[in-house]
Amino acid sequence: MQFDNYREPSAPKSYSSETDTTVRQPAQPRRSLIPWLLLLLLIAGAVLVAYEMHTANYSAKPISEYAKTLTYQLKSGPSNNIVYPQAGPFDERHGYSRLPQLLPRLQERNFRIMAQTEFSPALQSYAEQGLFPPYREKVQSGLFLADCRNETLFDFNYPQRVYRDPRDIPLVVAHSLLFIENRNLLRIPPMANPVMDWPRFIMAAASQVGKVLSVGGQSAGGSTLATQIEKFRHSPQGLTRSFKDKAVQIISGTIRVYAHGTNTMGMRTRIVQDYLNTVPLSSAPGHGEVHGVGDALYAWFGSDFTKANQLLSNPEQAETASERAQYFRQIVALMIAQRRPSYYLLQGHDDLEELTDSHIRLLANAGIVDASLRDSALSQKLTFVRAKPNQSQAEQDARKGINAARLRLGNLLNQPMYDLDRLDLNAHSALHGEVQQKVSSYLRSLANPDTAAKYGLIGERLLSAKGTAEVLYSFTLFEKTADGNRVRVQTDSTDQPFDLNEHSKLELGSTAKLRVLATYLEIVAELHQSFADELPVNLLNLDIAPQDHITRWASQYMAQTSDRSLTAMLDAALQRTYSASPAERFFTGGGLQVFNNFDNKENGKVPTVAESLQQSHNLPFVRLMRDIVAYSSSYQTLGSSSLLLRSDKDPKREEYLRRFIDKEGTEFLRKFWRKYQQKPADERLEVFFDGLKQTPDRLAAVHRYLLPESDFALFSRFLTDKLPDEQFTPKKLNELYNKYGPGKFSLPDQGYIAKVHPLELWLLSYMNKNPDAKFNDAVAQSSEQRQQVYRWLFKTSNRSARDNRIRIMLEVEAFLDIHQRWAKLGYAFDHLVPSLGTALGSSGDRPAALAELMGIIQNDGIKLPTIRIDSLHFAAKTPYETMLQYNASAGERVMRPEVARALKKTLGQVAELGTARRLTGSFMKADGSALKIGGKTGTGDNRVATQVVRGKVMASTVNNRTATFVFFLGDNYFGTLTAFVPGKGADGFSFTSALPLQVLKGMAPLIRPYVVKNSPMCVAPTK
């Protein structure tokens, strides 16, 4: 055969010249195949890489398998394995990145995490590297708020106009988007990676290299729709700021598209859907942030998204070709505008028109649109409009009940309304939506004079037909449940988010008498505890201060009674009598004051305490408050306050002085520290001035002491702002500025001039100068000041002046003790005005705080938590899902049960026999019996005295007028109803507490079906 003699070449032989005479030619070098093989391998590798880049046949499966390990699972209790996103507009808007701050805040407010997602180890590691977890992100999200029956109160979906399914997208819209942004998305093989458009990516990378090397040429963009979505949803500020950001977008997008398998066709249509639904398109007036072409059509052009899609999908439905073409032009414009949305929306209208025309022509050349649509669209112009809020949304916002619930939730989460509505959150409120809405509508309807007349609101001590629209109403209804007091109705008749119940400070008149009575009965209970085991002879020989009438009565009662039970003693205390005569002038608040009864017919009466509450007599409660002040003064000084007003030679005075300076001075300093320590400097001053009876001399003295560096201009502005009705001349201002300059008066004199505790003045000054100081620092630095404050009072030769100043100091100190008692029962403010006028409401109050006191009485003296939000569900069906439930505490006893029962019995007499008797018959049960009701009325005519002569107000200006009824209904319901007229217009009104009573009577049919039955108003969501 041809190749039979072929053998492998053997090793060359050695020849000698003797035997081999052949002349041989030099051997030719053999050519190597290695370079050709390397080139062949390179070509094959490039082909393989190109094939893989185009098809992802080899990489798709391992990527998909890895993506399937990135899982999370909802488990009971809090999770330790979860990584929250750090930034990204989508994560911030939905609240995912805020959860690390929101959850601790909620836990501090008694919410407990019931369930939370837990990341798999793979997902935990993946997220810790800054990559975005793969999950099906929501087409729409936002706040959903349900009432106690799980009925919808509020449902905000954002964006509001979306494609809920990819099949809803008109083909011309989808194809136009792909042509403009990502032409090959649907053309690549089934397993290919839609995140990467390799030709575009390579061109973009080359252009960036050229940019670095200063090589000319236009920069190319390599972003696909998928990477753009990752960018504007999850990258910081929605931007690509570095190569790392781009790498994170590409990797995260790739993992996301392969998370459900190797075939990516379904994910590609979802990418188109997600892009159209969520692409950011600036912000528009009346709308806020605009995301997605649906909302942008409305916000930019005022167009109907639903109609636009109908006409673009079904051309035959269009009345004219131009109508369909206009919608198409607008959508194309929005696709272009996403690159610079704020510019195109606000000022670049002409540029956008030009670009839209060129893109429409390109779309026609590519066969995306036909010539007819092209020509018609080119003949149109973009018309920008200012969006108006949706009518349905405006109507929802007008419903005060919804606003009240949202406001409460916003306060809980510390989120403004705009941000709150866009959180991915489901919440359950304690409100009863149906009753809330009915009561809100009823209160708003009372502005109509015909409606007001229908419900009996026109008449003496009520309203005139001309004034009905100026009166605002506020109503709160609580239901006592096993674990707390749930707010079933909380509304008012204003259109503002401000909540009159929760955020006001109003003079609510005689409702303060309820607090005075509660304090009085608690004091009696304290004395009962002290005297219960004492022998009668010892009780009759106690050394009691002359002015401490309560202690003297208690000791005599316990010495003489045969029934020593607390209940019997409280009943007897309610039968003590006080004069209603207004003839006496009272030394209080730093001077002489005169008080009057509401009706002159009361002046000659000497009613019992219970009768005084029933008929709301003023003077008996002023005198009762004086006795409480005397008791508190005696208690604070261990019974020796009266000794301070006796002979200067009494040795006990010096003994008291030493103890008072060393111990009591520090204690009062501590009370002032607690009053101010949590507040910034400006707020501290406002709180201080708010509790000060404001006169030119007092304000001048305090300002010059606290702000000694202020110049004359600032001082003058301060006085004129605080006392706008005072006619200050430059000369008068200059006199005050110089008179009270730094160093002109000692610290005790400053306190006496301002009628405040000098240590409060000193501490404010110290805290302003030393903002980082601790309480112990203040105590150490105040040793000399404490000596000054108290010692000099006993050195002056003017005995009368000395005694007056002692009385002022004792009253200030007594009201600190009284304030602590009130605060324990829900009083909302930091201080009381140290005046007997506080018994009549001069220190102000808040309807919700009064309701809290009524709740304590309803629950036998136990203060239950107030529940407004039952549960919260964040980020449902996402990696950040968290479910929280309000974890009500057991409650705190703040009042003896006997005291609560005595108060409830007395309040029932107010409705049965006293000022609230017009409610008789309003709440009848099905069996014909009357529901037990009770409460306390109050009228606040809030005026600022502008002229006072010998303690009597000769002239005043009005700030507002209020009338309030705080009530209980049966054993399980309680609340408040307040009528309020703000501003100087209140001077034209003379209504009394008869007005809220009549309003509640008219409201009775709305709430009666719920409060008279034995079952709860509604069942709270189960835990």
Side-chain angles (χ1 to χ4, degrees), residues 149 232 269 298 448 542 630 744 752 852 869 872 939:
R149 305 161 301 153
F232 64 64
T269 58
Y298 176 79
N448 185 307
L542 290 177
K744 295 291 183 67
Y752 176 70
E852 184 174 346
I869 302 295
L872 298 164
T939 303

Side-chain angles (χ1 to χ4, degrees), residues 334-353:
L334 293 172
M335 293 176 184
I336 301 165
Q338 62 86 17
R339 294 175 175 83
R340 299 175 67 192
S342 295
Y343 167 74
Y344 290 126
L345 176 62
L346 298 177
Q347 61 192 59
H349 295 181
D350 292 341
D351 290 346
L352 185 59
E353 292 275 18

Side-chain angles (χ1 to χ4, degrees), residues 335-380:
M335 293 176 184
I336 301 165
Q338 62 86 17
R339 294 175 175 83
R340 299 175 67 192
S342 295
Y343 167 74
Y344 290 126
L345 176 62
L346 298 177
Q347 61 192 59
H349 295 181
D350 292 341
D351 290 346
L352 185 59
E353 292 275 18
E354 185 177 339
L355 282 171
T356 302
D357 285 344
S358 65
H359 278 76
I360 290 173
R361 293 188 185 98
L362 290 171
L363 288 167
N365 293 339
I368 305 296
V369 298
D370 56 32
S372 173
L373 180 57
R374 177 199 62 194
D375 295 341
S376 185
L378 289 173
S379 69
Q380 304 295 318

Side-chain angles (χ1 to χ4, degrees), residues 476-553:
T476 306
L477 181 68
F478 295 82
E479 181 180 8
K480 185 184 73 175
T481 63
D483 56 352
N485 299 321
R486 284 183 159 80
V487 183
R488 296 310 189 196
V489 181
Q490 182 169 0
T491 186
D492 58 59
S493 60
T494 74
D495 290 326
Q496 303 302 316
F498 176 78
D499 186 353
L500 201 63
N501 286 294
E502 293 282 338
H503 302 116
S504 62
K505 183 177 184 180
L506 303 170
E507 283 198 20
L508 300 178
S510 292
T511 56
K513 294 170 186 172
L514 174 56
R515 294 198 183 275
V516 175
L517 184 61
T519 303
Y520 167 60
L521 294 183
E522 276 291 304
I523 289 171
V524 171
E526 290 171 8
L527 292 169
H528 175 270
Q529 184 175 2
S530 299
F531 297 159
D533 297 326
E534 288 288 342
L535 294 173
V537 64
N538 294 338
L539 292 172
L540 293 173
N541 289 287
L542 290 177
D543 184 14
I544 300 172
Q547 302 301 319
D548 189 1
H549 300 302
I550 298 177
T551 301
R552 180 174 297 100
W553 173 85

Side-chain angles (χ1 to χ4, degrees), residues 983-995:
K984 295 184 178 181
D987 204 21
F989 289 82
S990 58
F991 61 78
T992 66
S993 54
L995 179 58

Side-chain angles (χ1 to χ4, degrees), residues 550-561:
I550 298 177
T551 301
R552 180 174 297 100
W553 173 85
S555 65
Q556 292 175 357
Y557 173 84
M558 292 296 287
Q560 297 168 4
T561 186

Side-chain angles (χ1 to χ4, degrees), residues 483 859 862-865 888-893:
D483 56 352
N859 205 44
I862 294 176
K863 182 179 180 181
L864 290 173
S889 59
E892 175 190 5
R893 178 162 294 286

